[in-house]
Amino acid sequence: MIERFPLTRHVDDRGWFGELVHASALPKPIRQANLSFSRRGVIRGLHYHERGQDDLFVCLEGTVRVVVLNRETGETFTEDIGDDNPVAIYVPGIHAHGYEALSDALFCYLVTEEYDPAQPDEHGVPWNDPRVAHLWSTTSPILSERDRAAASS
């Protein structure tokens, strides 16, 4: 089940402070933290994990659109998170998931399994799959080589 965790920002003259996660509220413990910077127009994913890695998505600066596809039912979830909507999204890794940078964005994802380059557990669904293509704001995203290859197969 996808879970939303509203983030409270405490603002003063210095800037703001906010808590990203209370680990006790999550279904599984976090084992790795990742950080990425994406330029506006980038789509990362969609991918899923067969061995049970879940992700907690937090946009630290800017705005991203999180897109999730339940591969069994075809149900989709999308939410724009970040500057105007400070919320963390918990995604079970069995669902295909990714995000689009609606602005330049600093994005954090906390994951429940450590990445193993010898046995990566990342399987792709093309970003332009008909079940999700209409959810993105762009039809000509900036993609990684891997995501480009998945989209053209």
Side-chain angles (χ1 to χ4, degrees):
M1 167 194 300
I2 295 166
E3 295 186 54
R4 296 176 75 256
F5 296 95
L7 305 175
T8 301
R9 289 186 180 166
H10 305 279
V11 180
D12 64 24
D13 293 341
R14 300 167 296 163
W16 58 265
F17 165 84
E19 296 173 349
L20 293 182
V21 62
H22 285 226
S24 62
L26 300 177
K28 296 180 186 176
I30 297 298
R31 297 183 50 105
Q32 182 172 322
N34 302 309
L35 182 65
S36 69
F37 173 78
S38 296
R39 302 242 179 251
R40 182 179 188 269
V42 166
I43 290 179
R44 294 186 187 258
L46 300 171
H47 69 271
Y48 60 94
H49 312 284
E50 292 183 337
R51 294 193 302 259
Q53 175 183 304
D54 295 348
D55 294 13
L56 180 70
F57 291 155
V58 181
C59 185
L60 302 173
E61 185 174 295
T63 303
V64 302
R65 175 165 295 157
V66 174
V67 172
V68 180
L69 169 67
N70 181 321
R71 296 176 304 116
E72 290 181 4
T73 67
E75 288 180 83
T76 59
F77 169 90
T78 183
E79 186 165 354
D80 297 351
I81 66 172
D83 290 343
D84 295 330
N85 185 25
V87 64
I89 305 290
Y90 186 90
V91 179
I94 59 169
H95 301 314
H97 53 278
Y99 70 91
E100 174 187 3
L102 300 176
S103 67
D104 286 359
L106 193 58
F107 190 76
C108 178
Y109 46 110
L110 307 165
V111 299
T112 62
E113 297 297 329
E114 293 179 11
Y115 180 73
D116 179 0
Q119 294 184 330
D121 182 26
E122 292 189 349
H123 310 277
V125 171
W127 73 273
N128 59 354
D129 181 291
R131 297 170 291 180
V132 296
H134 64 285
L135 300 175
W136 308 108
S137 76
T138 183
T139 57
S140 56
I142 302 165
L143 300 169
S144 70
E145 190 172 314
R146 180 177 70 176
D147 290 338
R148 252 191 322 275
S152 59
S153 36

